[in-house]
Amino acid sequence: MKNIPGARYLNFRCTGCGNCCKDPLLPLTQDDILRIIERTGDSPGHIAQVVDKHAIHMDDEPEAFAMLRQGKRVLVLRHEKGRCIYLGDDNRCTIYTSRPLGCRIYPLDPDFNKEKKLRRLTLVKATECPYEMDGSVDVEPLYDLQQRYWKQHEDYNTKVAEWNRVQRRRRREGRAAQTAREFFTFLGLPDSEPSNERRVPKTTKSAGSSAATASVGPANTRKAKGPAKTRATKSRTVAKQKRRTSR
């Protein structure tokens, strides 16, 4: 491992500052949203918000944008008052065990070869991260998590492509594109009105970072991861890395 570029980051440890849950925006898939629904009972419209290309830097991943009535939009984990709605007052994630896969892998950016051997490891620099280097990240769970992340996003992008074909056909027929709520239904998500109430506790009992397990991301992360981000500037970087390493 010593000769692998960035191998030192296998000692990464989250310090629980909460910065990654306050600045970057994290793209979501229907699987991410379903896990949160099962945990919280919140509606899809409460969990996710749709943003345009000006809110998040994802120019090189146009396949993630759905054609909606208000234009091309991407689903991200909702922020209010400059922070993820599921970040507790103690800077801990209140849905830690059900958090999106992007949160679990952020901020690690691994590159594996066909033999599942780690070739390179870097950190996504989407926001200030005062990490420590006294942790322990297991390579095998990191590989498995990365593959899950990429497969989930591939499946989601396939659904988006199908949706967009329908919207283009509607426009040729002189009809308006469908709404975000109809997009949620198309994804197989419960059809319910967005909730204005936050039903998740503001604190959580324990959310210690455990990079040695399949959850390698910080305890209080949402995307990415994570792992997407311009205000959000690199929320995209997490998704981009997965596509590259899966090839």
Side-chain angles (χ1 to χ4, degrees):
M1 286 288 184
K2 292 183 178 180
N3 296 326
I4 297 174
R8 65 187 181 280
Y9 293 125
L10 291 174
N11 296 318
F12 174 90
R13 177 176 66 83
C14 170
T15 57
C17 70
N19 289 349
C20 55
C21 307
K22 297 172 184 175
D23 182 30
L25 295 179
L26 181 79
L28 295 175
T29 69
Q30 71 271 23
D31 296 300
D32 289 325
I33 296 173
L34 280 170
R35 281 194 301 274
I36 298 174
I37 290 173
E38 291 172 0
R39 169 68 181 272
T40 67
D42 289 337
S43 69
H46 177 78
I47 296 166
Q49 62 188 108
V50 293
V51 299
D52 63 19
K53 64 180 181 179
H54 301 295
I56 189 167
H57 182 65
M58 293 180 66
D59 293 342
D60 56 348
E61 195 179 358
E63 63 270 23
F65 285 81
M67 296 172 62
L68 302 178
R69 188 160 297 177
Q70 63 266 57
K72 291 184 177 180
R73 298 291 188 270
V74 65
L75 289 180
V76 299
L77 193 56
R78 181 175 296 280
H79 273 209
E80 290 179 359
K81 299 180 180 179
R83 57 195 285 135
C84 170
I85 61 171
Y86 296 112
L87 181 63
D89 293 338
D90 57 357
N91 274 343
R92 298 294 182 181
C93 178
T94 59
I95 56 166
Y96 186 65
T97 58
S98 303
R99 69 198 188 283
L101 294 187
C103 298
R104 295 169 189 249
I105 200 167
Y106 181 85
L108 301 182
D109 180 0
D111 181 14
F112 292 92
N113 61 23
K114 293 180 180 180
E115 287 71 43
K116 304 181 182 181
K117 302 296 184 182
L118 184 65
R119 296 191 298 193
R120 175 192 55 79
L121 184 62
T122 58
L123 296 184
V124 176
K125 297 179 180 179
T127 189
E128 182 181 357
C129 180
Y131 59 88
E132 294 290 346
M133 294 292 282
D134 57 0
S136 178
V137 178
D138 287 343
V139 174
E140 186 174 347
L142 179 60
Y143 173 84
D144 291 341
L145 178 58
Q146 185 195 59
Q147 296 307 301
R148 286 176 56 204
Y149 177 97
W150 179 235
K151 178 61 167 59
Q152 179 175 294
H153 278 264
E154 271 192 333
D155 292 345
Y156 175 73
N157 288 342
T158 298
K159 293 286 288 183
V160 171
E162 182 182 349
W163 167 269
N164 287 344
R165 284 194 294 271
V166 172
Q167 304 315 306
R168 285 192 291 269
R169 184 176 68 245
R170 288 176 62 92
R171 290 185 176 181
R172 288 195 300 269
E173 296 170 349
R175 295 187 290 164
Q178 293 171 281
T179 64
R181 183 176 177 181
E182 289 171 310
F183 180 54
F184 289 143
T185 301
F186 173 81
L187 292 175
L189 300 172
D191 183 17
S192 57
E193 292 291 346
S195 169
N196 293 321
E197 296 185 9
R198 185 175 174 183
R199 287 172 290 199
V200 179
K202 291 188 177 182
T203 59
T204 186
K205 290 183 179 179
S206 64
S209 177
S210 180
T213 68
S215 297
V216 297
N220 57 333
T221 307
R222 356 169 281 309
K223 30 60 131 182
K225 124 55 253 46
K229 310 165 182 191
T230 28
R231 214 195 109 290
T233 277
K234 293 180 184 172
S235 83
R236 171 59 205 94
T237 308
V238 178
K240 177 181 178 182
Q241 83 197 30
K242 314 298 182 260
R243 182 175 60 197
R244 182 181 64 249
T245 57
S246 67
R247 290 175 179 171

